[in-house]
Amino acid sequence: MVKKSLLFLFLSFCQFQIVTAQDSHFKDHLGFKETFFGNEEDHQVCYPKDHRNFFYSIFGFALLATTLGIAIFVIKSKSNKLLKEKNRIIEEKNYDLVSSITYAKRIQNAILPPKQLVNDFRDNLFVFYKPRDIVSGDFYWMHKQDNFLYMAVVDCTGHGVPGAFLSLIGQNSIDRAVKEDKLTNPTLILDKMNLYVKHILQQEQDSDLRDGMEVALCKLNLQTNVLEFAGANLGLVIVQNKNLVALKGSKCTVGSVQQHVVSAPKTETIQLNAGDSFYFYSDGFVDQVGGNLSKKFKSVQLKEALIKISVLPVSQQCVQLKNIFEGWKGDLEQVDDVCVLGYKI
């Protein structure tokens, strides 16, 4: 009986060893090591999937993604480098361009009236001059001859560089008409100025160059306070005892061929008295967009503002106009050059 029991235990142990040896080849899942460095056929798995192909697919996808990532990084690095180089070139050209225009501003400022002449009338005269860009298509002009003071505001076609080129032509033309030709009548001055501008620009009947300028020109007798005015598309505003008188300019411009124009702008004469003020300006102020509704300022509002500030000293008048303009413009861009010249008797 004992021998039978021992034999049974021995046979059971042997069977356990065989099963254990067989179980060592059984896996629920094959791992990376068995798949790539072993033989999956030596093992049994709990489900029939091709692990080797699965891991190969993952490995191939990872390799492809890495390769693409490196390629994208290299391409992007080259693109960034190329973009930086282009930006550097643009910045250099922009710097050179701005430097050139800034230097041109010095030349344009040289055509403006001498500071000494302006200072001689600082108690009577103010100029609100604000170019939209570095250089301006607007300019103001002054000349004193004997007891007469000649003043003008000129608005050339365009602004910026094109307008600045025209302003040089305009200043040269009005200088020649007054200083060389010795003309004193505003009508004759504008007529001569028109001929000079058209000649310089070679404007013929069939010319495509139609650029010109709008001009408001006056001649003030410093002894009698008699004012003579002529305008080409620009007018003059006079404030006397808070009453406004508007003198309109003729419907024409200086320069360019205009078939409808048959005569030069007409000169109007008006007697001024102590305390009276007069103003002439380009359209940059009234065309400025701003306010709560982003609309143009318009000439009506400017005339109302001129009536209010006319009682102030000219230095304060200029400050008030600047504040009005900047307050109206707000954060919006300036749309055009601004030039306002005011004189108080």
Side-chain angles (χ1 to χ4, degrees):
M1 191 69 180
V2 175
K3 289 181 179 182
K4 288 183 179 181
S5 298
L6 291 175
L7 179 62
F8 175 77
L9 290 175
F10 175 76
L11 293 174
S12 297
F13 175 78
C14 290
Q15 186 179 6
F16 174 78
Q17 291 297 325
I18 293 172
V19 172
T20 303
Q22 290 176 347
D23 287 345
S24 64
H25 294 280
F26 183 83
K27 294 277 186 179
D28 287 341
H29 299 281
L30 294 182
F32 181 85
K33 180 178 179 182
E34 291 83 358
T35 301
F36 286 94
F37 300 105
N39 187 356
E40 64 178 346
E41 295 178 354
D42 294 338
H43 304 277
Q44 297 179 12
V45 293
C46 63
Y47 54 88
K49 285 193 175 181
D50 192 346
H51 286 68
R52 185 183 299 274
N53 291 337
F54 177 73
F55 279 109
Y56 280 165
S57 299
I58 295 177
F59 181 78
F61 178 79
L63 182 62
L64 178 62
T66 303
T67 304
L68 288 176
I70 294 174
I72 292 172
F73 176 78
V74 172
I75 293 173
K76 189 174 182 180
S77 297
K78 289 183 178 180
S79 299
N80 289 339
K81 185 176 180 181
L82 182 61
L83 182 61
K84 287 181 180 179
E85 180 64 19
K86 289 183 178 180
N87 288 338
R88 183 188 65 80
I89 294 174
I90 292 173
E91 288 177 0
E92 288 181 357
K93 290 184 179 296
N94 185 63
Y95 175 80
D96 293 339
L97 180 62
V98 173
S99 297
S100 297
I101 298 176
T102 302
Y103 188 82
K105 181 181 180 180
R106 296 173 55 188
I107 299 175
Q108 187 180 43
N109 286 343
I111 74 171
L112 297 177
K115 291 183 178 180
Q116 183 59 49
L117 177 60
V118 177
N119 288 335
D120 289 343
F121 294 93
R122 62 180 177 271
D123 295 331
N124 307 90
L125 173 76
F126 79 83
V127 179
F128 176 31
Y129 181 61
K130 186 176 177 60
R132 195 198 82 160
D133 303 309
I134 300 174
V135 290
S136 175
D138 290 2
F139 71 94
Y140 59 98
W141 175 87
M142 291 175 59
H143 174 67
K144 185 177 181 300
Q145 182 68 40
D146 300 326
N147 294 320
F148 297 96
L149 178 63
Y150 299 84
M151 294 172 285
V153 166
V154 183
D155 184 355
C156 300
T157 302
H159 44 74
V161 174
F165 272 107
L166 276 177
S167 72
L168 298 177
I169 296 174
Q171 191 272 345
N172 178 68
S173 299
I174 195 171
D175 257 4
R176 289 178 63 186
V178 175
K179 298 178 182 179
E180 295 180 14
D181 299 330
K182 306 298 182 183
L183 299 177
T184 59
N185 184 281
T187 293
L188 299 179
I189 293 172
L190 290 182
D191 190 40
K192 195 71 171 182
M193 185 181 176
N194 178 55
L195 293 176
Y196 284 143
V197 171
K198 291 169 66 176
H199 176 72
I200 294 172
L201 295 178
Q202 302 180 24
Q203 291 172 328
E204 307 296 340
Q205 292 289 338
D206 58 349
S207 174
D208 292 331
L209 191 59
R210 303 294 181 182
D211 296 312
M213 53 200 72
E214 301 173 342
V215 185
L217 172 67
C218 72
K219 172 188 175 185
L220 176 65
N221 188 318
L222 297 174
Q223 290 186 331
T224 64
N225 293 328
V226 172
L227 181 70
E228 298 176 59
F229 166 78
N233 250 16
L234 291 183
L236 177 75
V237 173
I238 302 172
V239 180
Q240 297 175 308
N241 297 321
K242 294 187 177 182
N243 295 315
L244 186 142
V245 178
L247 303 180
K248 294 183 178 180
S250 301
K251 294 295 182 180
C252 62
T253 61
V254 171
S256 78
V257 176
Q258 303 162 83
Q259 302 294 344
H260 66 283
V261 178
V262 295
S263 61
K266 181 182 177 181
T267 295
E268 299 188 56
T269 303
I270 186 169
Q271 177 67 56
L272 299 178
N273 302 305
D276 293 346
S277 300
F278 61 88
Y279 310 88
F280 39 115
Y281 45 84
S282 64
D283 57 7
F285 200 117
V286 298
D287 286 344
Q288 179 58 48
V289 175
N292 295 330
L293 301 177
S294 296
K295 293 185 176 181
K296 290 184 177 181
F297 191 79
K298 296 185 179 180
S299 59
V300 174
Q301 287 181 266
L302 180 56
K303 290 175 182 178
E304 292 175 353
L306 293 176
I307 293 175
K308 291 180 180 179
I309 68 172
S310 62
V311 297
L312 302 173
V314 290
S315 59
Q316 295 183 27
Q317 289 188 34
C318 188
V319 172
Q320 288 295 319
L321 270 186
K322 289 179 180 178
N323 293 338
I324 292 171
F325 180 80
E326 294 298 335
W328 180 262
K329 181 175 73 69
D331 296 330
L332 299 177
E333 293 184 358
Q334 184 174 332
V335 300
D336 199 0
D337 302 316
V338 175
C339 185
V340 182
L341 190 149
Y343 192 95
K344 188 170 186 177
I345 303 297

